[in-house]
Amino acid sequence: FLGDYNCFGKRSMLDSAARIPMIVRYPEQYAAGQVCDQVVSLVDVMPTLLTAAGDDPAAYDLDGVSLATIADGSGDADSANRAVYSQFQWRDQGIYMICNRRYKYVYSAPDRREFLFDRVQDPDETRNRAGVTFCQGALDEMRQRLFAYYRQTGYQDALDGDRWRLYPQPSIPRDPDAGLLIQDAGWAKPYQDIPGYSEQSDDVQHT
């Protein structure tokens, strides 16, 4: 975040903090100008490099697949329903995500709150549809897919049967940037005085 949604830093699954531009240039294998809107992950980088080097990613125990096969649709029989997963922190601070072409589902353990964003109708992720009646089917499907992924990988810490595990909710500091290493440094404090955002006094001097 650089002021998006009045936030700074990361610690979120919104695209502004979590999405990474993916650009590949390798004229020997990939034609220029191709654009793919499929969701991909950093776990796909290693299989891509192995494939480009002439090695077989299938010989290794990897979660990802080559970006070349994702781009041309040859690597996944169900590429239209492909999903990527992400997690930030754990236990009472955990934020968990599953994302496919249409939807992004996020669960925030500190807030005990679910988020569902329609990536097609709302690409700027401005409206949480988790509470919208006609989106309950998508919400349930994305949640269950994320649960199934965790069970498949043996990760059970965040789950309590068929529900999210509830941890004691942490206290929320008044400073929305508390805990960020750079913003919390003493020398950085003067630069956080932003009208309408921070509550610092008006006599802070900027250099």
Side-chain angles (χ1 to χ4, degrees):
F1 294 119
L2 292 174
D4 307 73
Y5 312 96
N6 290 328
C7 293
F8 288 83
K10 295 178 75 72
R11 300 184 301 178
S12 171
M13 294 300 175
L14 292 170
D15 276 0
S16 296
R19 190 172 182 177
I20 302 172
M22 181 73 75
I23 302 173
V24 177
R25 183 181 186 274
Y26 187 25
E28 289 80 0
Q29 284 200 14
Y30 310 127
Q34 294 186 86
V35 178
C36 176
D37 65 352
Q38 184 59 276
V39 291
V40 297
S41 168
L42 291 177
V43 299
D44 299 315
V45 173
M46 183 174 178
T48 303
L49 297 178
L50 288 171
T51 301
D55 204 347
D56 181 10
Y60 305 89
D61 184 18
L62 302 175
D63 290 328
V65 297
S66 171
L67 292 170
T69 63
I70 293 175
D72 62 22
S74 64
D76 189 346
D78 192 22
S79 61
N81 203 30
R82 184 175 201 260
V84 296
Y85 307 87
S86 185
Q87 177 178 338
F88 178 79
Q89 291 281 15
W90 59 90
R91 299 182 65 82
D92 62 328
Q93 297 288 335
I95 302 176
Y96 310 90
M97 183 202 78
I98 176 175
C99 178
N100 60 22
R101 267 180 169 166
R102 179 64 188 271
Y103 292 108
K104 178 189 289 186
Y105 168 84
V106 179
Y107 176 71
S108 172
D111 302 298
R112 296 184 180 178
R113 188 176 178 191
E114 293 179 308
F115 298 85
L116 181 70
F117 297 106
D118 187 328
R119 304 182 64 238
V120 175
Q121 300 296 326
D122 180 26
D124 292 328
E125 301 175 324
T126 60
R127 184 181 180 193
N128 178 16
R129 298 174 188 254
V132 178
T133 301
F134 61 80
C135 292
Q136 291 307 296
L139 179 74
D140 293 340
E141 178 185 352
M142 295 296 281
R143 183 197 306 116
Q144 292 307 315
R145 286 188 67 180
L146 184 55
F147 283 5
Y149 173 76
Y150 282 141
R151 293 189 184 102
Q152 175 188 346
T153 58
Y155 181 72
Q156 301 286 337
D157 290 357
L159 307 182
D160 183 11
D162 291 329
R163 301 185 177 194
W164 290 106
R165 186 180 303 279
L166 298 182
Y167 294 99
Q169 289 183 282
S171 60
I172 300 175
R174 293 188 65 189
D175 179 0
D177 294 325
L180 295 177
L181 296 178
I182 295 177
Q183 282 85 346
D184 284 352
W187 61 265
K189 286 293 184 183
Y191 300 99
Q192 295 182 39
D193 184 20
I194 301 173
Y197 176 73
S198 66
E199 297 180 359
Q200 293 189 14
S201 62
D202 294 334
D203 59 354
V204 175
Q205 304 243 340
H206 297 273
T207 57

